[in-house]
Amino acid sequence: MTHNHRNPLIELCGIRFGYPGSQPVLDRLDLVLRPGDRFGLVAPNGSGKTTLFHIIMGLLKPDRGTVSLFGQTVSTEKEFAPYRSRIGLLFQDADDQLFSPTVLEDVAFGPLNMGKSADEAVALSRRTLSFLGLTGFEDKITTKLSGGEKRLVSLATVLAMEPEVLLLDEPTTGLDTRTKETLKAVLNRLDIASVVISHEFDFLTATTDHVYTMENGRILLDDELHIHVHEHAHRIGKQPHRHV
Ligand SMILES: Nc1ncnc2c1ncn2[C@@H]1O[C@H](COP(=O)(O)OP(=O)(O)O)[C@@H](O)[C@H]1O
Ligand SMILES: [Mg+2]
């Protein structure tokens, strides 16, 4: 099924990016994410998955190629700024996301920054925490949370901004099995276009509709990919699969 009538939320064209003094991490990379799309991304460490998310957010600037968000080509800081709150990035490392003393302050920061009143921001934050099963965490000290709790609070800070796109960089890190199940249910209740990076194949198949991989700086969208994913599924575990 094609959805070409739905205008892209994110469109990357011919992206090339290398860290200073290194070979390109991303090279001739293309990606189109449209409303309703839910993509999974599984690829070995160092493939450039996190770099890709940082390019989408404008935290890194591509050496070549174009980034378009909501139909606008963006390259300068000023051009990216208005779109950042519409795209929720869950950082790979929760310590990059959480910086306020308490959970409620951290979750309310985004909504306040977007111009909500204090009352609205607090109400929205409480609702978001409740949605994630974190009622009662409001006054906890963020630095004292467990890894899994930090992960969920980070997600709360992202969801409280009511983004139109979610970019989740290894959301299951540090989560126990039960919390992972909660997260699966939460993601399936949300109606937001998303790209989810994870090494957990069953998590991706449960929360996304297409699973892609990265190789040589590009996202594989073709038949090769299915073979790769298929082999990958075997290596990770023996989940049921279909031959392609
Ligand atoms: N800040 C950085 N400076 C230099 N090299 C980096 C930096 N961040 C990542 N890299 C390198 O870029 C490559 C891709 O990294 P990354 O995007 O984090 O991959 P992934 O998320 O797929 O594990 C790796 O080889 C990594 O070592
Ligand atoms: Mg990464």
Side-chain angles (χ1 to χ4, degrees), residues 200-229:
E200 299 196 43
F201 200 75
D202 69 333
F203 184 82
L204 291 183
T205 53
T207 56
T208 65
D209 302 312
H210 300 279
V211 179
Y212 297 128
T213 191
M214 284 181 73
E215 213 170 85
N216 302 323
R218 309 187 68 188
I219 295 173
L220 296 192
L221 306 164
D222 56 15
D223 286 345
E224 263 177 273
L225 160 74
H226 297 285
I227 295 158
H228 181 100
V229 166

Side-chain angles (χ1 to χ4, degrees), residues 4-86:
N4 290 336
H5 56 288
R6 292 174 298 133
N7 294 329
L9 301 166
I10 296 173
E11 188 163 12
L12 304 183
C13 235
I15 296 293
R16 181 187 172 108
F17 175 84
Y19 291 96
S22 306
Q23 290 296 307
V25 175
L26 308 178
D27 196 10
R28 289 175 299 143
L29 179 143
D30 299 321
L31 171 71
V32 177
L33 184 82
R34 297 176 194 278
D37 284 344
R38 302 193 309 166
F39 295 166
L41 196 54
V42 59
N45 290 333
S47 302
K49 306 180 298 295
T50 295
T51 302
L52 166 68
F53 276 6
H54 290 188
I55 290 280
I56 293 172
M57 297 303 283
L59 304 174
L60 295 170
K61 302 290 180 228
D63 304 321
R64 275 189 218 163
T66 56
V67 178
S68 302
L69 304 178
F70 305 96
Q72 296 296 316
T73 301
V74 283
S75 63
T76 65
E77 183 58 28
K78 200 175 158 205
E79 287 166 341
F80 270 99
Y83 299 112
R84 288 231 177 89
S85 62
R86 298 173 67 182

Side-chain angles (χ1 to χ4, degrees), residues 11-208:
E11 188 163 12
L12 304 183
C13 235
I15 296 293
R16 181 187 172 108
F17 175 84
Y19 291 96
S22 306
Q23 290 296 307
V25 175
L26 308 178
D27 196 10
R28 289 175 299 143
L29 179 143
D30 299 321
L31 171 71
V32 177
L33 184 82
R34 297 176 194 278
D37 284 344
R38 302 193 309 166
F39 295 166
L41 196 54
V42 59
N45 290 333
S47 302
K49 306 180 298 295
T50 295
T51 302
L52 166 68
F53 276 6
H54 290 188
I55 290 280
I56 293 172
M57 297 303 283
L59 304 174
L60 295 170
K61 302 290 180 228
D63 304 321
R64 275 189 218 163
T66 56
V67 178
S68 302
L69 304 178
F70 305 96
Q72 296 296 316
T73 301
V74 283
S75 63
T76 65
E77 183 58 28
K78 200 175 158 205
E79 287 166 341
F80 270 99
Y83 299 112
R84 288 231 177 89
S85 62
R86 298 173 67 182
I87 303 177
L89 169 63
L90 182 75
F91 282 93
Q92 183 168 347
D93 185 348
D95 293 329
D96 291 334
Q97 201 116 40
L98 304 176
F99 46 80
S100 302
T102 68
V103 168
L104 188 66
E105 285 169 283
D106 242 330
V107 180
F109 181 87
L112 282 173
N113 205 35
M114 288 168 68
K116 303 258 190 218
S117 73
D119 283 353
E120 282 174 321
V122 167
L124 185 55
S125 300
R126 289 187 188 281
R127 269 208 307 282
T128 308
L129 287 168
S130 152
F131 181 71
L132 290 171
L134 294 172
T135 299
F137 275 66
E138 290 81 355
D139 299 326
K140 293 203 184 205
I141 309 298
T142 47
T143 53
K144 298 210 169 137
L145 298 174
S146 75
E149 289 167 343
K150 277 189 190 170
R151 212 75 198 115
L152 287 180
V153 171
S154 296
L155 185 61
T157 68
V158 170
L159 294 182
M161 297 174 74
E162 304 180 303
E164 291 157 72
V165 181
L166 272 182
L167 305 177
L168 306 182
D169 198 345
E170 306 202 11
T172 61
T173 308
L175 299 189
D176 58 38
T177 311
R178 213 188 68 192
T179 315
K180 247 178 249 178
E181 291 306 314
T182 306
L183 183 57
K184 273 185 200 171
V186 164
L187 293 180
N188 281 317
R189 270 162 68 196
L190 292 169
D191 189 18
I192 309 181
S194 55
V195 184
V196 181
I197 295 171
S198 178
H199 294 290
E200 299 196 43
F201 200 75
D202 69 333
F203 184 82
L204 291 183
T205 53
T207 56
T208 65

